[in-house]
Amino acid sequence: MSQLFSPAKLGELTLENRIVVAPMCQYSAQWGFPTDWHMIHLGNLGLSGASLLILEATAVEPEGRISDKDLGIWDDEHAQALRPVVEAIRRYSPVKLGIQLGHAGRKASSNLPWLGGDELGAEQGGWQTVAPSALPFGDRHPPQALSLERISEIKSAFVAAAKRAVASGFELIEVHAAHGYLLHQFLSPLSNQRDDNYGGSLENRLRLVLEIFSEIRAAIDKKIAVGVRISATDWVNGGWDTEQSIVLAKQLEMLGCDYIHVSSGGLSPEQQIPVSPNYQVPLAQKVREAVKTPVMAVGLITEPEQAEAIIATGQADFIALARGILYDPRWPWHAAAKLGATIKVAPQYLRCEPHNLRGLFK
């Protein structure tokens, strides 16, 4: 039996296979609200055959948006607007639905990627960014160092956003502590040079992520899975690294974290990433060897045999797909065909089963 297509659990959430659609920003919202693009895009991915679909980084407050077109959930009206999207997908697909909650910190107020992604000026509708310390990302304007009062407000914003997400019908919450955004900025000594309880020692730099996770976990029903996405390394000497990530993973495990989603980079323009197939899988494997918490691997995993080997050899428990599933939204179907597995599809699509692969669909 294919290990990639074996069932597994994230906390109390049961998934039919080990294929996850990773969060991917679409930069297509209007003041945080989903648009028709989200219905079309997410509906398409919801029919992919993956067992879990995680929505893009969704801002917990307006200042936390990467761009002015980011999805948001800082208001109850955002939750109400997301609910029809969730209900439409659930009506036609067995896929489980999650949402990633984030804050961009010093990487906020950016233009759209296809317009260059540069910092927005005030004349373009940009806003003052915030961070642990007043250290800019590259050649951008310095962010405003967060006061203890603002840190407390952001923690509350994450918890309120998680409650709204549950009210919208999501079955999983992912806390975004990766890719150089605010929570990653607190973790890394390259961006966090505070001298209070949120900076300096590793214990202090972990504090905000652990507090946010704990408060979200305490605030929502246990049946809702809660995980954390991390960048396992900054790929910069003297920065956040795998050893520190393992300490964080162990702390999260003790707090009841349901999974850890292992990515890398994004914090510094000086990063040197050795990009190649499976380049982040060894990072996921190191975390998995240190904890019993399920681990997701992501990054240039493109072939079914490649994904199967990662699961079968215990390097990770789940495979998260991003650009690969944008390119091939039926990747799980094709993987099932190659690996001799079966996969559940909408009955409207049963007629497309290849005549020489009877039994592929269920």
Side-chain angles (χ1 to χ4, degrees):
M1 177 181 177
S2 166
Q3 295 301 300
L4 185 64
F5 286 90
S6 63
K9 298 188 76 171
L10 295 174
E12 297 183 12
L13 184 66
T14 300
L15 303 180
E16 290 194 353
N17 59 53
R18 310 298 184 97
I19 304 171
V20 177
V21 180
M24 291 175 279
C25 290
Q26 296 300 295
Y27 306 102
S28 300
Q30 295 293 333
W31 190 239
F33 289 95
T35 62
D36 289 346
W37 174 258
H38 292 90
M39 184 70 80
I40 295 167
H41 165 71
L42 295 168
N44 181 36
L45 294 180
L47 296 171
S48 68
S51 63
L52 173 64
L53 168 58
I54 307 177
L55 267 66
E56 64 195 82
T58 304
V60 300
E61 63 175 26
E63 295 82 1
R65 294 170 297 161
I66 304 166
S67 78
D68 62 356
K69 299 297 183 184
D70 276 27
L71 206 58
I73 195 165
W74 63 80
D75 190 280
D76 289 346
E77 292 184 3
H78 291 125
Q80 294 167 9
L82 281 166
R83 190 165 187 85
V85 178
V86 171
E87 291 175 346
I89 296 170
R90 188 161 289 133
R91 191 174 302 126
Y92 294 107
S93 170
V95 70
K96 305 299 184 184
L97 293 170
I99 188 169
Q100 185 183 72
L101 303 181
H103 192 298
R106 68 181 189 175
K107 293 179 75 175
S109 190
S110 298
N111 207 340
L112 305 182
W114 50 87
L115 296 179
D118 296 326
E119 181 181 19
L120 289 174
E123 70 284 356
Q124 299 170 291
W127 58 92
Q128 174 64 54
T129 61
V130 297
S133 305
L135 301 171
F137 178 75
D139 58 1
R140 294 181 173 220
H141 287 92
Q144 184 178 75
L146 286 164
S147 66
L148 291 176
E149 181 181 6
R150 281 290 289 126
I151 290 174
S152 180
E153 290 173 354
I154 288 171
K155 284 196 295 182
S156 297
F158 269 94
V159 176
K163 291 179 179 178
R164 293 187 188 105
V166 173
S168 298
F170 291 99
E171 299 152 290
L172 176 144
I173 305 293
E174 181 168 284
V175 177
H176 197 358
H179 299 163
Y181 298 122
L182 183 65
L183 300 190
H184 184 184
Q185 291 161 27
F186 270 88
L187 294 174
S188 177
L190 298 178
S191 48
N192 183 349
Q193 296 183 9
R194 301 177 68 92
D195 58 5
D196 59 12
N197 287 341
Y198 289 99
S201 68
L202 176 58
E203 178 184 8
N204 285 350
R205 286 184 281 114
L206 298 181
R207 191 179 307 279
L208 183 57
V209 173
L210 296 176
E211 287 179 347
I212 286 173
F213 174 83
S214 296
E215 292 184 24
I216 289 176
R217 182 69 282 174
I220 62 176
D221 196 294
K222 191 67 177 175
K223 69 182 181 182
I224 305 298
V226 183
V228 178
R229 192 173 203 187
I230 65 170
S231 281
T233 175
D234 290 338
W235 299 111
V236 179
N237 289 334
W240 179 255
D241 57 25
T242 310
E243 289 69 29
Q244 295 173 85
S245 294
I246 288 170
V247 175
L248 173 60
K250 289 179 176 179
Q251 293 285 326
L252 287 168
E253 182 172 60
M254 288 191 291
L255 294 173
C257 186
D258 291 314
Y259 71 93
I260 299 172
H261 191 168
V262 180
S263 188
S264 71
L267 184 106
S268 170
E270 298 177 8
Q271 64 188 17
Q272 297 292 322
I273 303 179
V275 177
S276 63
N278 277 13
Y279 74 103
Q280 293 180 151
V281 173
L283 305 174
Q285 181 177 2
K286 287 180 180 179
V287 174
R288 189 180 187 273
E289 290 170 350
V291 296
K292 295 180 181 178
T293 305
V295 170
M296 293 181 187
V298 66
L300 276 181
I301 301 169
T302 58
E303 303 302 320
E305 297 86 352
Q306 181 186 5
E308 177 73 16
I310 292 167
I311 302 300
T313 59
Q315 294 175 282
D317 302 284
F318 294 86
I319 300 298
L321 303 174
R323 298 174 195 181
I325 207 162
L326 288 184
Y327 183 74
D328 179 6
R330 300 294 178 263
W331 192 96
W333 295 16
H334 304 147
K338 278 195 173 184
L339 299 173
T342 57
I343 192 163
K344 186 176 288 186
V345 303
Q348 294 90 335
Y349 288 170
L350 288 174
R351 72 183 74 178
C352 75
E353 184 177 36
H355 73 277
N356 61 335
L357 286 173
R358 295 304 181 196
L360 169 64
F361 293 161
K362 60 180 177 179

